[in-house]
Amino acid sequence: MSELARMAVSAFAPALFLVPGWALTRGVDGLASRPSRTARVAWAWLAGAAWTGAAGFAGSLLFRVALNRTAFVVIGLLPALGAAIAWLARGAARLAARRPGAGGPRRESLALAAWAGLVFLSLLLEAATAPASDFDGRMTWGPLARHIRAERSVLPAALTDGTCYISHPQYPPLVPLLRVALEETLDSPADERCSRPLYAWFFPVFVLVLFDSAKQLAGRRAALAAAFGATLLGPLTFGSNGGPAGTYSDFPLGLFVGGATAIGLLGRGAFGSSAISGLLLGAAVLSKNEGLPLAAASALLIAVRHWKGAGRLVSWLARAAGPAAGASMAALLLSTWRARIPNRFDEDYVASLLHLRSFGPSLDRLADGAGAIGRECLTLRGWWPLLACLAILVALKPSGSRSPWLRPLLLLAAVAPLAGLAAYAVPGWPVRELVGSTWDRLLTQVSMPLLIVLALLVRPWMVRAGGGGTEEPSRRSRSAAGVALAGRGAALLDTGSHSP
Amino acid sequence: MPCLAVGLVAFALQVESVRTMWARIGTFAGKSARDAARTVYGPELAGSFELLAGQVPARSHYLVTDGPNWGEEINWMRFALAPRRPVLVTRLEEGREIMVAPSVPRDAPVLIRSGAGEGRPPVLLDPVLHFSGLPTVRPEVEDLGLPSGLSLPEEGRQVEGDLQVEAWCLGPGGRPCAGFYFRIDGEWRLPDSFERNLGPGLESAASTGDAPPAERFRASFASLKRLESHELVVLAVTNEANFRKLGPRSFFWRRRP
């Protein structure tokens, strides 16, 4: 295969996740009937990636399935088989009739598509041509993928043999497993450039899922502002320390958690959206250590929000059970997997925190860390644009920005930074170095809720600028076959000035 | 309006990032995996990775010992050699060699000293030579009570020509130590010459403490690598397989003019 052909195949290989994803989301209320085709594709890809990783992990761990091409093809086609049966049972006409026309894209959407497309193209080509240059990717995630592929198992000897020098052997392996899925399916050579484009693919999916979710909560223009914001942030675009230009698992984790929360909150309560939310939260748990607290917070947030709006227990359970079950099952799988792997070359922050004898050194570290965090936030290609805009909008306090979603989303966004602060308090590694290598990544993990908060805050300004007529989120959503918010939440958003 | 200004500044920065990204694409486009790795790691480091990959069968394990300066090369090496399985044998912590692996697979095909930092490539070592005195690197059998002394080279001094090492060590019962092993800049080295029982007529450049001159030894090394400064550690092993570490000692070296 020529170098050009290899590059082209590598760049577009991640599209394979659309096969199971399309089938998984086809029957889901609130996803299949999205007016925007690009949004449907983004949700399908995300669900397909989560399914492939989670099913591959469970299959290898519980049933010792060899993770080869056959296994991944079966994993990919299983949902399609289920969808085909459901389609035959329900009838094609019924499904097709539920999808409203999207109308043509508007000028602002085209501008976003052009700019985000350029960013994506840059990321994709760079990933397909250049080897990884980030630190953890080369130390942890890349070797993990290669060990899994070599033995076609999520329990390769490199992990289970305690003498093996593997950094963080108990790190959740879902994203490296996705790399293996692509490499095995396409029988790629042992060249990391064949699977690096996977990380680039998470970028457009992030932008589309963010836009789609924010649109339902804050209207189209505010969602556009948030999506543009995402494309203008260095850590979410060309950042290799946790961003899509690197090979860390933080950006995928941020997308899994953000997507799960959005669909969990916005779903109409049907089993489908609840299950997809659970699948995405399960993928989050299997992606990184921080995935568990984030998934737990997200599942709790979904349960509490629906408790307020639910009329009946059954209805509440239908909405809340999926996310909780997905996160719990993944946590159980992960602990089963970890039980087989002797831990070494790892920092146990939780145990260290529990055994703290004095808080004095920890407080000194936090004081030292606060300065480092401030510097990180003000880095030229860092988070300052988002943080500055959030600060400005909060200071201006536009009327109508008191959305009922603000507080829960901010609480979710606080989980990862708070976990980081707890780790910074543990004596050991110099706190400034620790902040320098982790703070960006912690914010990346909660970037989706932060950007939706930006959309909510900016919404009143957008409504004023646009005359308000086209900015009502729920009017469009309702007309789109009841995709969006139901009941009280929608009413609150319609008026835009209600307090929770 | 302020947010719009922030957005414009961020956009300008992103445009610059896009330009950088395309420059990187231009650098790597059309390159084979081998050439791309050489561009990232440099020809010397990438070349050593290729050499090592040829030495260790795929999915086999290999032994790693820490370089004198902890560098990132050990991580790049692990990535380059995966799915081969590294077993970290020793690690240097504050100048002290710590045994990390609870047990060392004796059938490992090669032993690699990880890079010495600053982009220096890892080096293939002879595991037989390295582990001929394996008990000597177990920290729990180091006997700090063994009388010993390292008189040459002197700390921080410059050495010209052959490196002369003079030392002594007595085991239990006042018997001289049975074996001596030399680690220079993290590598175990065999000396070019070795003399025991220097005798009373030979005086060293520095005091040897209470050592009976007859128990002293002298080893010489004809050449060292071109490094700014060097570090020597001598392991003196007793008949009982206890050991005493002499050093580390830093010195400068240059060829005889």
Side-chain angles (χ1 to χ4, degrees):
Chain A
M1 188 189 286
S2 73
E3 194 52 36
L4 190 66
R6 183 208 58 78
M7 222 176 92
V9 170
S10 307
F12 294 101
L16 287 172
F17 294 134
L18 284 170
V19 176
W22 169 82
L24 284 166
T25 54
R26 188 166 174 75
V28 176
D29 272 353
L31 287 184
S33 50
R34 285 282 202 276
S36 158
R37 184 180 291 117
T38 46
R40 290 198 301 271
V41 169
W43 282 107
W45 189 89
L46 187 61
W51 161 259
T52 306
F57 183 81
S60 173
L61 178 68
L62 301 178
F63 307 109
R64 296 187 182 181
V65 171
L67 295 172
N68 53 22
R69 180 190 285 178
T70 310
F72 285 115
V73 167
V74 170
I75 287 172
L77 291 181
L78 264 179
L81 190 67
I85 293 168
W87 184 76
L88 286 173
R90 289 193 202 175
R94 195 176 145 204
L95 273 175
R98 289 165 58 184
R99 187 174 302 143
R106 301 186 196 180
R107 200 170 44 193
E108 304 94 318
S109 305
L110 287 175
L112 173 66
W115 168 242
L118 177 64
V119 173
F120 175 46
L121 187 67
S122 310
L123 286 169
L124 193 63
L125 289 183
E126 195 273 341
T129 51
S133 57
D134 52 273
F135 192 92
D136 278 20
R138 289 190 282 178
M139 177 179 74
T140 304
W141 305 108
L144 180 55
R146 295 169 81 160
H147 287 300
I148 290 174
R149 190 183 181 195
E151 298 193 30
R152 296 192 166 91
S153 164
V154 291
L155 283 169
L159 297 183
T160 55
D161 175 2
T163 63
C164 225
Y165 180 24
I166 299 289
S167 305
H168 316 298
Q170 292 190 342
Y171 269 14
L174 184 129
V175 184
L177 189 56
L178 294 180
R179 290 173 70 162
V180 175
L182 297 175
E183 290 169 349
E184 278 295 300
T185 305
L186 298 172
D187 195 21
S188 305
D191 181 349
E192 59 180 314
R193 298 176 302 169
C194 294
S195 54
R196 265 199 73 204
L198 165 70
Y199 297 88
W201 272 70
F202 276 97
F203 170 73
V205 175
F206 183 95
V207 174
L208 287 167
V209 166
L210 168 68
F211 176 65
D212 188 57
S213 306
K215 188 169 76 172
Q216 294 178 67
L217 287 172
R220 197 175 141 276
R221 287 191 177 180
L224 270 172
F228 259 120
T231 65
L232 296 180
L233 287 170
L236 296 186
T237 50
F238 302 113
S240 60
N241 183 32
T247 51
Y248 290 45
S249 296
D250 300 88
F251 192 68
L253 168 63
L255 181 48
F256 285 136
V257 170
T261 309
I263 192 173
L265 288 175
L266 298 170
R268 292 183 65 206
F271 174 74
S273 47
S274 180
I276 293 293
S277 176
L279 176 65
L280 296 182
L281 284 187
V285 171
L286 295 174
S287 291
K288 278 214 81 186
N289 283 346
E290 298 92 322
L292 184 58
L294 280 168
S298 171
L300 189 67
L301 172 65
I302 292 166
V304 170
R305 285 301 309 172
H306 286 311
W307 180 259
K308 289 182 179 175
R312 290 180 304 159
L313 184 65
V314 176
S315 163
W316 177 74
L317 276 177
R319 296 171 180 185
S328 307
M329 280 163 56
L332 195 63
L333 276 177
L334 190 64
S335 70
T336 308
W337 178 74
R338 281 179 169 158
R340 307 273 299 276
I341 300 168
N343 202 16
R344 68 266 187 195
F345 304 109
D346 195 16
E347 305 88 8
D348 193 347
Y349 289 111
V350 177
S352 305
L353 261 180
L354 293 176
H355 291 98
L356 273 183
R357 290 181 180 173
S358 156
F359 288 103
S362 297
L363 292 175
D364 289 345
R365 282 176 64 85
L366 285 177
D368 203 14
I373 289 172
R375 281 190 292 279
E376 279 299 313
C377 290
L378 294 175
T379 308
L380 193 62
R381 288 187 168 79
W383 291 95
W384 68 268
L386 175 62
L387 300 176
C389 284
L390 287 175
I392 290 167
L393 289 168
V394 168
L396 291 176
K397 288 183 187 165
S399 61
S401 66
R402 294 168 67 193
S403 161
W405 304 95
L406 268 179
R407 200 176 297 166
L409 288 171
L410 280 172
L411 279 174
L412 178 63
V415 170
L418 284 176
L421 288 176
Y424 299 159
V426 174
W429 201 7
V431 68
R432 290 179 194 185
E433 279 183 37
L434 196 55
V435 169
S437 61
T438 57
W439 185 251
D440 262 3
R441 288 150 56 189
L442 294 169
L443 291 185
T444 298
Q445 293 165 12
V446 292
S447 51
M448 177 99 59
L450 278 177
L451 284 158
I452 294 177
V453 165
L454 176 74
L456 291 169
L457 288 175
V458 88
R459 179 173 177 258
W461 306 97
M462 292 297 181
V463 171
R464 279 182 213 168
T470 59
E471 281 305 313
E472 298 309 319
S474 55
R475 191 177 301 164
R476 277 182 64 83
S477 303
R478 277 190 195 147
S479 68
V483 174
L485 297 169
R488 182 167 167 256
L492 287 168
L493 282 169
D494 270 339
T495 57
S497 58
H498 283 67
S499 57
Chain B
M1 208 59 180
C3 286
L4 198 60
V6 168
L8 285 173
V9 175
F11 180 72
L13 289 169
Q14 287 293 80
V15 169
E16 176 58 22
S17 295
V18 168
R19 199 192 61 75
T20 308
M21 212 65 170
W22 281 91
R24 193 169 153 80
I25 293 165
T27 304
F28 286 98
K31 284 191 173 170
S32 65
R34 186 167 175 263
D35 290 341
R38 283 174 178 258
T39 308
V40 171
Y41 296 109
E44 199 181 11
L45 204 57
S48 77
F49 292 158
E50 288 168 22
L51 179 75
L52 295 170
Q55 299 283 325
V56 189
R59 295 177 58 184
S60 173
H61 54 238
Y62 61 96
L63 307 179
V64 184
T65 184
D66 199 357
N69 299 306
W70 180 258
E72 293 172 349
E73 288 78 7
I74 195 166
N75 292 318
W76 309 164
M77 185 181 81
R78 283 191 288 161
F79 181 84
L81 297 186
R84 296 161 185 86
R85 306 198 298 272
V87 176
L88 186 64
V89 183
T90 59
R91 165 179 248 165
L92 293 174
E93 283 179 13
E94 296 172 356
R96 186 180 167 85
E97 191 165 31
I98 304 293
M99 190 79 179
V100 177
S103 63
V104 176
R106 296 298 183 110
D107 59 337
V110 296
L111 171 69
I112 299 167
R113 177 176 64 76
S114 71
E118 299 164 14
R120 289 190 187 124
V123 179
L124 203 59
L125 303 178
D126 180 349
V128 177
L129 172 63
H130 188 88
F131 292 115
S132 57
L134 182 62
T136 64
V137 291
R138 288 185 183 278
E140 65 270 22
V141 295
E142 180 169 12
D143 186 347
L144 296 173
L146 296 180
S148 61
L150 173 62
S151 48
L152 281 179
E154 292 179 78
E155 178 66 34
R157 290 290 181 86
Q158 176 149 313
V159 176
E160 229 172 61
D162 288 2
L163 168 68
Q164 303 286 339
V165 179
E166 274 191 28
W168 61 275
C169 178
L170 299 179
R175 283 173 301 176
C177 284
F180 296 92
Y181 300 88
F182 303 90
R183 197 182 68 208
I184 302 174
D185 304 323
E187 272 184 58
W188 296 102
R189 293 270 309 262
L190 282 176
D192 296 305
S193 69
F194 185 83
E195 283 181 86
R196 273 183 185 277
N197 306 319
L198 298 182
L202 292 170
E203 290 299 325
S204 60
S207 164
T208 55
D210 299 323
E215 312 302 352
R216 281 185 279 138
F217 73 87
R218 178 187 290 162
S220 69
F221 296 83
S223 66
L224 302 181
K225 286 187 175 174
R226 285 190 178 183
L227 297 176
E228 215 167 79
S229 67
H230 299 269
E231 187 185 81
L232 166 77
V233 171
V234 180
L235 293 180
V237 188
T238 69
N239 284 320
E240 292 75 22
N242 290 339
F243 78 98
R244 176 80 197 263
K245 184 158 69 181
L246 313 179
R249 180 144 302 175
S250 299
F251 60 96
F252 301 92
W253 177 82
R254 68 172 188 176
R255 290 178 192 279
R256 196 183 298 281

